Amino acid sequence: MRITFYGHNSFLLESDVSILTDPFIASNPKAQHILMENIKADYVLITHGHADHLADLDKIMAHNDAKIITMVEVASWLAKQGHSHSHSLNFGGTYEFSGVTSAKYVQAVHSSSMPDGSYGGHPGSFILKTEGKTIFIAGDTALHSDLKLFGALNDIDLAILPIGGNYTMDSEDALHAAKFLNCSQIIGCHYDSFPEINIDHQAAIKLFKSHQLDLQLLAIGTIITL
Ligand code: NI
Ligand code: MN
C-alpha cells in the first residue's frame, strides 16, 4: 500500500481503496504547499471531533464522493452540517471497505467535542487491515494499557502514533505504546503543527533507535510504500 503524509494526523492510505484520515491540511500552517484539490479519497476516517482532525472535511468532500467513517456522535453532528454520506461506528465495531480492507474502531484516551462545543462522543483509534497488512492509526491518545490488548490480538506492521506531547503522548510514551503494540515500525504524527507540540526530531528518532524501533518523521507530502 501507498501512504502519503499530509501533516498532523492526515494520511492518505491507498490500497484497493483510497482512505484519508483526519483532514487538517489547508488549515495547517505547515501544510500550505499541499494542493487539497489533488487528493482523491473514497473514504475519510475521523478519529474524533476536534477541529485539528476535521477542519478541512468540507474541502475534501467538495471534490470527492467519499464516505465518512467515524464515531456515532461525530457522524450525527456532521449530518447536521450536510455530510450525511457516512457510516457511524462505536468501539468494537468494524467497517468492511471491501473483501480485503477493513477498519476496527477502538478506544483511545483523550477527549472529543465538536468545533461548536457539541458533544463528540469518545475519541478512538482505527486498526486498519488491508492486503495482508495491519496498520494502527492511533489518532490522539495518551499512553494506555489497552494498547497491549491491541498488540496481543493483532499482528501490527505499522503504527501511526502521536508524539508531540502536550495534547497527546510524547515520544517517550509513544515508545512504550510501540512496545505495547508489539510493533517496530512507527510513523510519528501530531507534532510541529503548533508551537506547543514542537519536538526535537533527532532526539525522538535516536530514542526509538536505542530500543531497536524505527521511528519515521516524514516531511509533509512524502509518500512511502508498505
Ligand atoms: Ni484531539
Ligand atoms: Mn488533535
Side-chain angles (χ1 to χ4, degrees):
M1 81 174 320
R2 218 167 82 119
I3 301 173
T4 310
F5 181 47
Y6 287 125
H8 208 54
N9 283 38
S10 300
F11 291 84
L12 187 69
L13 308 158
E14 296 171 275
S15 57
D16 63 325
V17 291
S18 177
I19 300 170
L20 181 71
T21 64
D22 287 349
F24 178 71
I25 302 164
S27 303
N28 180 351
K30 299 291 169 69
Q32 295 303 302
H33 57 294
I34 301 297
L35 298 172
M36 283 197 71
E37 55 269 32
N38 292 345
I39 301 174
K40 300 269 178 284
D42 304 316
Y43 296 92
V44 180
L45 299 188
I46 300 176
T47 59
H48 65 292
H50 289 158
D52 61 317
H53 297 259
L54 51 70
D56 295 318
L57 181 64
D58 288 353
K59 287 197 177 67
I60 279 296
M61 298 306 269
H63 65 275
N64 284 285
D65 183 27
K67 191 169 193 172
I68 300 160
I69 314 297
T70 189
M71 176 48 118
V72 60
E73 284 84 0
V74 175
S76 61
W77 184 85
L78 289 173
K80 287 180 200 150
Q81 320 301 313
H83 296 299
S84 52
H85 190 38
S86 66
H87 180 92
S88 56
L89 293 171
N90 209 322
F91 298 141
T94 299
Y95 183 78
E96 303 278 350
F97 301 92
S98 68
V100 293
T101 304
S102 67
K104 185 172 193 172
Y105 192 54
V106 295
Q107 61 273 26
V109 173
H110 187 67
S111 62
S112 181
S113 55
M114 307 312 303
D116 65 359
S118 302
Y119 178 59
H122 287 264
S125 305
F126 288 100
I127 301 172
L128 178 73
K129 299 198 176 189
T130 185
E131 298 174 339
K133 301 278 187 189
T134 301
I135 300 158
F136 185 75
I137 302 163
D140 285 2
T141 189
L143 182 65
H144 62 93
S145 57
D146 285 352
L147 295 163
K148 281 186 193 171
L149 180 70
F150 309 148
L153 299 180
N154 298 278
D155 188 5
I156 299 171
D157 298 286
L158 172 71
I160 299 175
L161 302 178
I163 58 167
N166 197 79
Y167 302 115
T168 67
M169 299 190 280
D170 56 16
S171 54
E172 286 188 15
D173 279 352
L175 171 72
H176 294 299
K179 289 180 179 178
F180 284 178
L181 292 165
N182 198 20
C183 179
S184 59
Q185 195 179 348
I186 299 97
I187 292 179
C189 66
H190 216 273
Y191 62 93
D192 289 0
S193 314
F194 323 115
E196 62 269 34
I197 58 172
N198 281 346
I199 63 160
D200 180 335
H201 290 211
Q202 287 319 311
I205 291 166
K206 201 174 152 192
L207 173 68
F208 277 69
K209 205 170 185 179
S210 69
H211 291 259
Q212 287 76 50
L213 300 175
D214 179 38
L215 171 67
Q216 291 190 75
L217 301 180
L218 303 173
I220 296 174
T222 301
I223 299 169
I224 64 158
T225 306
L226 181 68

